[in-house]
Amino acid sequence: MGQLQDGVWTNEWYDTKTSGGHFKRSTASYRNWITADGSAGPSGRGGFKAESGRYHLYVSYACPWAHRTLIFRKLKELETHITVDVVDPDMFDDGWTFADDFPGATGDRLFGLPFARDIYLRADPNTSGRVTVPILWDRQDNTIVSNESSEIIRMFNSAFDRITGNGLNFWPAHLRDAMDPVNDRIYNTINNGVYKSGFATTQQAYDEAVTAFFETMDWLEARLAGSRYLMGDTITEADWRLLPTLLRFDPVYVGHFKCNRNRLVEFPNLWAYTRELYQWPGVAETVHFDHITRHYHVSHESINPHRIEPIGFEIDWTEPHGRERLSAA
């Protein structure tokens, strides 16, 4: 995972020496919003109107942050309106690449470019920062709208409703205040917590991260004992933000990132809840375990220097979940 410095690629990993061994994630650099009428969103500039065929999404099937956007693209019936390209799961010195020799990787079908960094340079030849996915590209203005997944899913949640006729709302106004602290805790200790654990370079940094991770897993297990979804009987973005990490937990994070106090399948409520979300119509189509296990075990040389992919657990994601009883109670 390198970065661009004034338009020049440098193969530099995250600096944990100055942070006491702690992994510090960079903030997203493009924060514009697509809106129904093209007016400015909460950040960035205006001019990005919701239009069919105007926008293109670059993702990795392995990346949990990009996975969120694929889930919302599916749930909100945006597949015929927003096209998508998929990077190769292997990420080495050149970062994300558009090689298309791994099943499911597409190459860059817009420009034929070799690297994801070239998309950033096309938007700004002098750009600086990490080259991350997802990347939401605007064909009309020839620039990046956003590379912040939490904001892209909110655009997808409502901006295109007049075009698709899909009125599903996963960010309802009456739940937002209560949802914010749930999202914040899950992001800091679960979504990013696995990375804080896996990329820690001191015992103290690892202990802090993995302890916080399992404290939140225990909290979620208790919360879901009496609540079908995180916010009650209503499924929301909080659930869809959590799901990509849970799906990757047993296949990758337990072993590769040393989050091994318990497996997901040892949390009865969380395990059933994960199966329900996986079985939600269309969601399983967004899950590509071959990309997931390949990327983590092959790309992170500092963790797995011989790049051996483990055999993995046998997991039945289609087992009946039984969560309906909580809504019926």
Side-chain angles (χ1 to χ4, degrees):
M1 173 63 78
Q3 61 182 327
L4 288 164
Q5 297 278 9
D6 298 320
V8 177
W9 179 253
T10 61
N11 183 29
E12 294 180 4
W13 186 245
Y14 290 91
D15 179 14
T16 58
K17 293 181 180 178
T18 59
S19 62
H22 294 81
F23 168 74
K24 302 287 187 181
R25 184 173 297 279
S26 304
T27 57
S29 53
Y30 289 88
R31 307 291 289 272
N32 304 300
W33 289 69
I34 300 171
T35 57
D37 60 1
S39 58
S43 59
R45 64 175 177 86
F48 300 100
K49 182 179 180 180
E51 298 176 76
S52 181
R54 176 172 171 177
Y55 300 100
H56 187 75
L57 187 64
Y58 291 101
V59 300
S60 162
Y61 283 151
C63 171
W65 317 102
H67 192 182
R68 298 174 173 183
T69 65
L70 289 172
I71 290 172
F72 269 73
R73 179 174 174 263
K74 171 67 74 172
L75 296 175
K76 294 295 295 185
E77 300 179 288
L78 291 168
E79 291 170 299
T80 61
H81 303 285
I82 298 173
T83 51
V84 66
D85 276 333
V86 181
V87 298
D88 190 89
D90 295 351
M91 185 177 67
F92 302 133
D93 289 348
D94 284 311
W96 295 114
T97 76
F98 289 117
D100 59 2
D101 53 350
F102 193 91
T106 64
D108 174 22
R109 292 177 290 194
L110 278 190
F111 308 112
L113 296 169
F115 307 116
R117 66 176 184 257
D118 294 322
I119 304 300
Y120 282 74
L121 292 171
R122 194 174 181 92
D124 178 2
N126 298 308
T127 191
S128 296
R130 295 285 173 188
V131 174
T132 60
V133 289
I135 308 166
L136 184 58
W137 180 264
D138 179 7
R139 284 183 170 96
Q140 178 176 296
D141 286 1
N142 228 20
T143 194
I144 295 173
V145 180
S146 177
N147 64 344
E148 173 49 59
S149 65
S150 65
E151 295 172 357
I152 292 173
I153 65 174
R154 289 187 178 173
M155 299 175 214
F156 288 2
N157 183 65
S158 60
F160 294 84
D161 285 4
R162 294 178 188 171
I163 295 171
T164 63
N166 183 316
L168 291 174
N169 183 9
F170 300 106
W171 194 44
H174 71 285
L175 290 177
R176 291 176 188 176
D177 288 345
M179 202 186 310
D180 284 345
V182 174
N183 278 340
D184 288 346
R185 179 170 184 175
I186 289 171
Y187 168 77
N188 285 311
T189 62
I190 299 290
N191 299 141
N192 203 31
V194 291
Y195 289 90
K196 291 178 182 179
S197 300
F199 291 146
T201 56
T202 65
Q203 187 69 47
Q204 179 182 351
Y206 165 76
D207 289 343
E208 290 174 5
V210 79
T211 299
F213 175 85
F214 280 107
E215 285 176 350
T216 297
M217 289 289 279
D218 291 337
W219 173 72
L220 290 168
E221 176 69 8
R223 187 181 184 97
L224 291 168
S227 177
R228 185 167 182 179
Y229 305 113
L230 291 178
M231 305 309 300
D233 287 343
T234 303
I235 193 166
T236 66
E237 71 163 37
D239 301 293
W240 299 121
R241 286 168 58 131
L242 174 60
L243 178 63
T245 301
L246 296 181
L247 290 171
R248 288 157 176 78
F249 188 59
D250 282 9
V252 174
Y253 301 145
V254 168
H256 189 63
F257 279 171
K258 307 179 188 71
C259 296
N260 58 358
R261 195 201 76 181
N262 299 94
R263 290 178 57 198
L264 174 65
V265 297
E266 294 169 351
F267 293 93
N269 299 315
L270 268 168
W271 170 223
Y273 162 86
T274 303
R275 295 199 309 277
E276 178 180 1
L277 298 189
Y278 176 85
Q279 294 167 24
W280 197 274
V283 171
E285 298 169 28
T286 70
V287 184
H288 297 262
F289 286 114
D290 55 343
H291 281 244
I292 290 167
T293 57
R294 170 79 181 187
H295 165 71
Y296 284 95
H297 294 112
V298 171
S299 301
H300 299 156
E301 185 179 12
S302 63
I303 297 175
N304 187 21
H306 296 294
R307 297 188 166 115
I308 294 171
E309 291 186 68
I311 191 171
F313 303 106
E314 290 188 6
I315 303 172
D316 184 3
W317 300 98
T318 64
E319 177 187 342
H321 55 78
R323 299 286 294 172
E324 303 92 341
R325 62 180 174 77
L326 292 171
S327 290

